[in-house]
Amino acid sequence: MIKRPIPALLLALSFSWTSSAMAEDVIQADPVSAVDEKLDIKQQEIKALEEQYAVESSQLKGLKNDNVRLQREGEELEAKRNRAKAALDKQYARLLEDPDTDLVSFQKKYQESWEAVKQNQSEKLKSEQNIVESESRLSQQKQKLARLNSEYTNLQEARVEARVKRLEAELRESSVLETRYTATCSSTMTIGECIGQSKYLTKQKAVNTFKDKLLDRLTESALAKQNLQGVQLNIHVQESQTIESGFSGNGAYTTHIQAQLQAKPDPSAACQLLAVSSRYCLSNSSTSTKQEKKDWVTVTVRSDQYNDAVTINGVNYGSTPVELLLPKGKHRFTVSKPGYQTYNREIYVGGTDTVWVKLVEDKQG
């Protein structure tokens, strides 16, 4: 079984990714928690104002009932005053015939009834003023309540947006994994085909392992797993290095690799996983997605040989096939194998592409 040293680059990538992830956990506050705090405060404000509104409404109802009572009492007092006035007028008429006619008691009753009417009118005026003031306070509270409810609705929208942004950030996570897989090769396969199949299946296992870990680490993991069907996470093996490989008998070939993987999910993936409208994703990620598609492309390197060595921009990526993400632009591709002429080209990468290499046997060697 062949063992290969782990490149320092991959070790550095592994350490730097872990460190940055830990740093993000420490430094960056959860945007959803920040919105939740605002929602709690706003909900408390709404509840307090609703209680004030209920108290004011009850008081207004009482004021209106009092006003109805005063109106009714006013009618009765006015009728009583009219009766007292009629009795007094009758006494004045008698006075013309009988100078000794008593007017004092009738005058007193009329004065008392008139004072009662004026008192009632004063109370009605005050009651009507209190009703106007109470209705004004209710109107102001109603307007404020509508504003608070509108702000609460906006915060709920902001919470969905924050959930989407948080999930989008979590889905962009990168990780370095070690993966081992043993493939059973059929008797009709060549050694190269057997090795190629083992490497491919090992990378597939790495992708599946990364996917499982990625989903487990999500803040809303349970919901995301529930809505996972049909969601494109687009997990890429950015870099890989064979640590150990070889036959173990009975057509079994074991491959042990270390690979750096990253997900490049579709723009609407976060919304699909959270079961929210796609407008939250399209508005948040249209610009960044266009930038990603513009700057990064998937490149696959293949050759007609096995156990070759692929180097891109001076970095060793193991043997073909190699699939990774590269920024658009010129890159130096080198594919070598003992006994063959080294393939060395500077190639402009402008989109998703496959670099096919045919190694020529070095007859001089």
Side-chain angles (χ1 to χ4, degrees):
M1 187 169 286
I2 303 170
K3 294 186 178 180
R4 296 182 177 85
I6 302 174
L9 174 64
L10 285 181
L11 290 175
L13 286 170
S14 176
F15 176 79
S16 64
W17 173 81
T18 305
S19 301
S20 63
M22 293 174 62
E24 287 181 2
D25 291 340
V26 174
I27 296 173
Q28 293 185 358
D30 183 358
V32 181
S33 297
V35 178
D36 282 339
E37 290 179 6
K38 294 180 181 179
L39 279 169
D40 289 340
I41 294 173
K42 195 63 62 179
Q43 198 168 31
Q44 292 172 11
E45 292 178 359
I46 291 173
K47 183 179 179 181
L49 188 57
E50 285 177 339
E51 291 174 353
Q52 293 178 18
Y53 188 86
V55 171
E56 191 67 47
S57 297
S58 178
Q59 291 176 348
L60 178 60
K61 183 178 180 180
L63 289 173
K64 288 183 175 180
N65 289 337
D66 286 343
N67 187 261
V68 170
R69 176 183 58 79
L70 289 171
Q71 291 283 359
R72 186 172 58 251
E73 290 178 356
E75 293 173 358
E76 294 174 356
L77 290 172
E78 185 63 28
K80 186 176 180 181
R81 185 186 73 83
N82 289 333
R83 289 195 298 270
K85 182 177 181 298
L88 181 59
D89 289 342
K90 188 181 288 187
Q91 287 300 102
Y92 271 115
R94 289 178 181 176
L95 182 63
L96 296 175
E97 298 176 0
D98 184 4
D100 295 329
T101 300
D102 179 28
L103 295 177
V104 176
S105 60
F106 289 91
Q107 288 176 332
K108 184 178 180 181
K109 286 183 179 180
Y110 178 76
Q111 290 172 347
E112 289 175 350
S113 65
W114 179 240
E115 288 296 328
V117 169
K118 290 194 293 183
Q119 179 65 28
N120 176 265
Q121 290 175 342
S122 176
E123 290 179 0
K124 283 195 297 182
L125 180 60
K126 185 177 181 180
S127 172
E128 289 168 357
Q129 290 175 341
N130 289 337
I131 288 174
V132 170
E133 292 174 359
S134 179
E135 287 177 337
S136 176
R137 287 193 297 271
L138 273 179
S139 177
Q140 292 174 1
Q141 290 173 354
K142 189 175 182 179
Q143 292 176 6
K144 185 177 180 180
L145 193 58
R147 177 175 58 80
L148 289 177
N149 281 319
S150 177
E151 292 173 355
Y152 186 80
T153 300
N154 292 337
L155 283 173
Q156 287 179 315
E157 285 283 301
R159 186 178 189 275
V160 177
E161 293 175 359
R163 289 173 62 208
V164 169
K165 288 181 179 179
R166 178 179 65 186
L167 183 55
E168 286 176 340
E170 291 174 343
L171 289 175
R172 288 194 295 268
E173 183 177 281
S174 175
S175 178
V176 174
L177 298 177
E178 283 194 20
T179 307
R180 182 188 297 271
Y181 185 81
T182 300
T184 302
C185 303
S186 66
S187 58
T188 59
M189 296 174 66
T190 65
I191 294 177
E193 290 173 338
C194 178
I195 294 173
Q197 173 185 268
S198 178
K199 288 182 178 180
Y200 175 78
L201 294 176
T202 305
K203 288 182 180 180
Q204 284 296 106
K205 181 180 178 181
V207 168
N208 292 332
T209 302
F210 175 83
K211 179 180 178 181
D212 292 339
K213 289 186 176 182
L214 181 66
L215 292 171
D216 288 339
R217 284 174 58 90
L218 298 178
T219 305
E220 299 187 61
S221 176
L223 180 61
K225 291 178 181 179
Q226 180 180 336
N227 300 314
L228 183 60
Q229 185 174 0
V231 179
Q232 298 298 322
L233 296 180
N234 301 324
I235 298 172
H236 295 274
V237 178
Q238 292 182 298
E239 299 182 19
S240 66
Q241 172 66 37
T242 302
I243 299 173
E244 185 178 8
S245 63
F247 287 98
S248 56
N250 297 324
Y253 190 88
T254 300
T255 303
H256 181 193
I257 66 170
Q258 185 179 59
Q260 184 183 21
L261 303 98
Q262 184 172 21
K264 294 286 182 179
D266 284 355
S268 62
C271 289
Q272 290 176 277
L273 293 175
L274 294 176
V276 299
S277 172
S278 60
R279 65 184 175 86
Y280 294 102
C281 290
L282 297 178
S283 61
N284 289 335
S285 62
S286 58
T287 302
S288 61
T289 301
K290 288 179 182 178
Q291 187 66 28
E292 283 183 2
K293 289 183 177 179
K294 177 181 177 182
D295 292 340
W296 292 89
V297 293
T298 301
V299 177
T300 303
V301 181
R302 296 181 180 275
S303 81
D304 61 344
Q305 300 294 322
Y306 60 90
N307 286 339
D308 51 8
V310 178
T311 302
I312 302 175
N313 300 327
V315 179
N316 183 11
Y317 289 93
S319 58
T320 56
V322 171
E323 181 181 284
L324 72 161
L325 288 174
L326 290 175
K328 284 186 177 181
K330 292 182 179 180
H331 299 275
R332 175 67 63 177
F333 291 81
T334 303
V335 182
S336 60
K337 182 179 179 179
Y340 291 83
Q341 296 179 16
T342 299
Y343 174 91
N344 190 4
R345 299 283 189 280
E346 186 176 70
I347 301 174
Y348 178 82
V349 176
T352 300
D353 199 359
T354 299
V355 177
W356 291 93
V357 177
K358 180 176 178 61
L359 292 178
V360 179
E361 188 175 356
D362 189 358
K363 297 180 180 180
Q364 295 180 355

